[in-house]
Amino acid sequence: MNIGAAETVCVYRLPQILTEYRKLYPLVEIRVQTESCEHFFELIKASSIDIALVLTDTIKSPEMAVQILHDEKMTVVASPLHALAQKEKIRPHDFADECLIITLPGCGYRPLILSMLKENNVKPGALMELSSIGAIRQCTICGLGAAILPKIAVKDDIERGKLIELDWDGPAFDIKTQLIYHREKWLTPAMRAFIELASQDPILA
């Protein structure tokens, strides 16, 4: 079974699902690859992967069956020593003079962040684009800029005091962990079992 997963989902959601899946189906061979969310649609159409777990907003693709697994909270974070950490509330225009650390094109939630800035006529002082969520976290911890990330990815950093969760007074980001597969392609019993388990997994609630 070939599974695609957005990096954040692969690190913070998928291991729990696979742990339960392995208990029930220990002999199923599993291959997992991370990729940008926009590429998963083509990989599924080409049968390079069977199922993908993506982190994005509403999916508008009639060829794909979509199951929403979890509503993901996005949060604005910065180092405790960053200038934005001193503000009571953070609004879109606060990024005008600051470096915003952001994912590369292809990430499921990057367009929402850029659209939010554009709608508020905000151009960040600088953009730092990184391909890895881990790299974004570390650069943010080092005070190189602020970031807008899924809270699940920075929860431990916030609890340890490495990052501050800023009080965001801007538009909400409607992001979800979603499972997708091709409507017209045959699902093996192993794939059906994975989909059912992922949909019912209480860890995702």
Side-chain angles (χ1 to χ4, degrees), residues 27-47:
L27 300 181
V28 174
E29 293 186 1
I30 297 172
R31 176 177 177 269
V32 178
Q33 73 179 79
T34 59
E35 185 60 80
S36 61
C37 288
E38 67 177 16
H39 291 154
F40 285 136
F41 296 93
E42 295 304 320
L43 292 173
I44 288 176
K45 291 175 185 177
S47 297

Side-chain angles (χ1 to χ4, degrees), residues 135-151:
I136 292 175
R137 286 175 43 246
Q138 290 303 317
C139 287
T140 307
I141 288 170
C142 289
L144 295 175
I148 304 174
L149 293 170
K151 185 164 183 179

Side-chain angles (χ1 to χ4, degrees), residues 138-185:
Q138 290 303 317
C139 287
T140 307
I141 288 170
C142 289
L144 295 175
I148 304 174
L149 293 170
K151 185 164 183 179
I152 190 172
V154 290
K155 183 174 178 289
D156 288 346
D157 297 319
I158 293 170
E159 291 177 351
R160 294 172 184 171
K162 293 182 177 180
L163 290 173
I164 296 289
E165 183 176 19
L166 306 179
D167 189 358
W168 175 243
D169 189 25
F173 298 98
D174 183 23
I175 303 295
K176 307 174 186 69
T177 293
Q178 302 176 72
L179 183 151
I180 61 173
Y181 56 93
H182 203 289
R183 289 186 183 277
E184 297 180 359
K185 291 190 177 180

Side-chain angles (χ1 to χ4, degrees), residues 21-74:
Y21 187 82
R22 269 281 179 243
K23 292 176 184 176
L24 299 172
Y25 309 98
L27 300 181
V28 174
E29 293 186 1
I30 297 172
R31 176 177 177 269
V32 178
Q33 73 179 79
T34 59
E35 185 60 80
S36 61
C37 288
E38 67 177 16
H39 291 154
F40 285 136
F41 296 93
E42 295 304 320
L43 292 173
I44 288 176
K45 291 175 185 177
S47 297
S48 298
I49 59 174
D50 304 307
I51 297 166
L53 297 170
V54 299
L55 190 62
T56 187
D57 57 342
T58 302
I59 295 173
K60 299 174 182 176
S61 177
E63 297 170 288
M64 299 294 156
V66 181
Q67 294 189 24
I68 296 173
L69 302 184
H70 192 76
D71 290 320
E72 301 288 356
K73 183 181 188 309
M74 296 289 285

Side-chain angles (χ1 to χ4, degrees), residues 87-156:
K87 290 181 173 285
E88 290 187 9
K89 290 186 178 296
I90 302 298
R91 299 176 176 85
H93 70 263
D94 288 317
F95 291 114
D97 299 319
E98 302 293 344
C99 175
L100 178 62
I101 306 177
I102 195 169
T103 54
L104 291 177
C107 169
Y109 52 84
R110 173 189 162 110
L112 297 182
I113 296 173
L114 295 181
S115 177
M116 176 273 296
L117 294 173
K118 185 176 180 180
E119 289 173 4
N120 287 274
N121 297 313
V122 174
K123 183 178 180 181
L127 279 181
M128 182 183 294
E129 299 179 313
L130 299 170
S131 61
S132 162
I133 294 294
I136 292 175
R137 286 175 43 246
Q138 290 303 317
C139 287
T140 307
I141 288 170
C142 289
L144 295 175
I148 304 174
L149 293 170
K151 185 164 183 179
I152 190 172
V154 290
K155 183 174 178 289
D156 288 346

